[in-house]
């Protein structure tokens, strides 16, 4: 029997802001993280120690980590909140550790299920990326830092076409065997459908892979309005961790047209409607979605947020 608690991983401050037209001021990012920390969210991605030449939007991640070390966001509530940071290689992890903070509890490494996207996003093959992650995992293990794994392009890739589910299963298994505590399956270009979601998850959960469903998270994009039907499929198959982004902020700079992570507001409304618990204050997140959309001068990517606030 699966529990009715669903963990939401809020990726707005990282995945959401890495692709904005203009670079979002550090102050705004910190305000966003601070506000999100007051809503009951347990995991809030806060930045990425990637190359600032590749992704200038994340150049201020060191300042964010340092600030949150001195001024825990959310005050007393922040005790139970994890703020993960992406690291693409050992250099990224060493940059983070070099800051000497005590609040680096979790990092995320990110692989691809397609060779084309791996090259575009992190400039190396899938195998090479896994090789690079090994020392990251070892050092994290020594320092007591948890490591989450991401896999992009789980259904198809703009460069390579459809992704075989067995390929996703192999990369997932490798990331888990290397020591990731959880793997987030990313539908980076939003091409998923319920049958594809079902086939993929069934492949992962069945022999020979037999991956425990508790080790899996789903990261759906709403590009084609399918994120929630895919989430429903994953929910029925036992997935209890989902990634989302307040106001549906986001997109990946190396996946053209990959707009919008599913919005946290829409995901929570859907989950609560399904009888699930998230522990997150939907109205609070909706207000943040309106606020950040105005700050960034973009339209709110959530349907639920604006509807809820005007009823
Ligand atoms: P590279 O150019 O192959 O790296 O980039 P390199 O090792 O050859 O080094 C080149 C230069 O980069 C050197 O500097 C290094 O010092 C520097 P130079 O000598 O030229 O001055 N460098 C670094 N600087 C800072 N931090 C580092 C770092 N590493 C090297 N960690 C690299 C390879 C992986 C660094 C680059 O491709 C990169 O940073 N890529 C990140 C791309 C990215 O952030 N993409 C978005 C996140 S993934 C995503 O959004 C999908 C996801 O959300 C799931 C989904 O939505 O589906 C996770
Ligand atoms: Mg995403």
């Amino acid at each position: 029997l699966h529990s009715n608690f669903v963990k939401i991983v809020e990726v707005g401050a990282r995945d959401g802001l890495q692709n904005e037209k203009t670079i979002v001021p550090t102050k705004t990012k910190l305000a966003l993280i601070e506000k999100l920390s007051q809503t009951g969210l347990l995991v809030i991605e806060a930045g990425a120690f990637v190359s600032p030449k590749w992704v200038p939007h994340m150049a201020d991640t060191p300042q964010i980590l340092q600030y949150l070390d001195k001024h825990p966001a959310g005050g007393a509530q922040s005790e139970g909140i994890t703020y993960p940071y992406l690291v693409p290689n050992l250099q990224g992890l060493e940059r983070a550790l070099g800051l000497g903070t005590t609040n680096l509890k979790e990092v995320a490494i990110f692989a691809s299920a397609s060779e084309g996207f791996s090259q575009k996003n992190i400039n190396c093959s899938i195998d090479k990326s896994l090789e690079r992650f090994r020392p990251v995992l070892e050092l994290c293990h020594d320092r007591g830092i948890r490591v989450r794994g991401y896999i992009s392009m789980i259904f198809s890739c703009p460069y390579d076409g459809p992704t075989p589910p067995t390929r996703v299963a192999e990369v997932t298994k490798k990331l888990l065997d290397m020591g990731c505590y959880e793997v987030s399956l990313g539908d980076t270009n939003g091409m998923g459908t319920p049958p594809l979601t079902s086939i993929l998850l069934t492949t992962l959960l069945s022999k020979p892979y037999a991956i425990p469903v508790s080790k899996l998270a789903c990261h759906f994009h709403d590009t084609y309005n399918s994120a929630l039907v895919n989430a429903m499929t994953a929910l029925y198959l036992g997935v209890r961790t989902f990634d989302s982004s307040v106001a549906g902020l986001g997109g990946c700079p190396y996946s053209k047209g990959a707009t919008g992570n599913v919005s946290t507001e829409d995901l929570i409304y859907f989950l609560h409607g399904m009888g699930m618990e998230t522990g997150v204050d939907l109205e609070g997140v909706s207000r943040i979605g309106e606020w950040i959309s105005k700050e960034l001068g973009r339209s709110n990517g959530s349907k639920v947020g604006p509807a809820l606030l005007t009823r």
Side-chain angles (χ1 to χ4, degrees):
L1 203 65
H2 299 294
S3 98
N4 72 342
F5 183 80
V6 174
K7 181 176 87 179
I8 293 185
V9 175
E10 168 59 51
V11 299
R14 190 278 306 169
D15 199 354
L17 301 184
Q18 71 189 6
N19 204 28
E20 280 299 306
K21 281 192 201 77
T22 53
I23 293 190
V24 179
T26 312
K27 230 176 88 190
T28 310
K29 291 184 186 176
L30 285 169
L32 175 62
I33 295 168
E34 171 77 36
K35 286 172 192 287
L36 290 168
S37 300
Q38 324 229 348
T39 60
L41 284 160
L42 295 174
V43 190
I44 302 171
E45 259 186 7
F49 285 91
V50 295
S51 161
K53 282 187 199 145
W54 281 65
V55 187
H57 301 73
M58 293 291 122
D60 60 355
T61 292
Q63 287 94 289
I64 292 190
L65 175 58
Q66 282 177 310
Y67 183 89
L68 293 179
D69 193 43
K70 292 208 185 74
H71 313 273
Q77 274 195 47
S78 69
E79 274 291 287
I81 306 175
T82 308
Y83 300 93
Y85 296 84
L86 258 58
V87 297
N89 52 19
L90 195 55
Q91 187 175 339
L93 178 62
E94 282 170 346
R95 275 176 67 213
L97 289 172
L99 299 171
T101 64
T102 55
N103 60 338
L104 187 67
K105 304 265 164 52
E106 181 171 324
V107 300
I109 54 178
F110 48 106
S112 170
S114 78
E115 287 295 350
F117 182 69
S118 187
Q119 290 292 349
K120 292 275 190 234
N121 195 39
I122 48 176
N123 205 23
C124 65
S125 67
I126 300 171
D127 279 350
K128 183 83 195 159
S129 74
L130 295 174
E131 230 174 85
R132 283 182 188 167
F133 296 145
R134 203 169 287 284
V136 173
L137 276 144
E138 281 166 9
L139 186 51
C140 283
H141 185 75
D142 286 351
R143 303 291 183 97
I145 296 169
R146 299 212 303 173
V147 183
R148 182 178 216 231
Y150 271 107
I151 303 179
S152 289
M153 305 300 175
I154 55 166
F155 297 123
S156 83
C157 168
Y159 310 107
D160 295 359
T163 306
T166 49
R167 167 64 75 80
V168 182
E170 278 153 20
V171 180
T172 305
K173 189 106 182 73
K174 283 181 186 161
L175 288 171
L176 291 173
D177 288 348
M178 281 163 69
C180 290
Y181 78 93
E182 173 177 288
V183 170
S184 171
L185 304 166
D187 181 11
T188 318
N189 54 351
M191 299 290 278
T193 61
L196 287 174
T197 304
S198 177
I199 291 166
L200 175 64
L201 287 172
T202 308
T203 304
L204 267 66
L205 301 178
S206 313
K207 286 182 183 167
Y209 305 104
I211 294 162
V213 73
S214 59
K215 300 269 179 198
L216 298 175
C218 284
H219 179 117
F220 291 122
H221 280 220
D222 211 22
T223 321
Y224 297 95
N225 211 22
S226 302
L228 293 181
V229 284
N230 297 337
M232 172 112 144
T233 309
L235 196 67
Y236 277 135
L237 288 167
V239 174
R240 290 293 180 270
T241 303
F242 292 90
D243 303 353
S244 61
S245 170
V246 63
L249 298 175
C252 176
Y254 298 101
S255 172
K256 200 165 170 277
T259 51
N261 296 285
V262 63
S263 81
T264 306
E265 300 90 311
D266 294 12
L267 180 67
I268 293 173
Y269 182 84
F270 155 75
L271 289 169
H272 290 177
M274 292 291 293
M276 297 286 136
E277 285 169 22
T278 62
V280 185
D281 167 17
L282 174 57
E283 201 177 312
V285 177
S286 299
R287 286 189 210 291
I288 300 169
E290 282 289 278
W291 167 79
I292 191 70
S293 301
K294 285 205 184 86
E295 281 289 314
L296 303 179
R298 50 141 52 219
S299 56
N300 190 337
S302 165
K303 282 206 169 107
V304 166
L308 194 92
L309 294 176
T310 49
R311 79 180 176 194

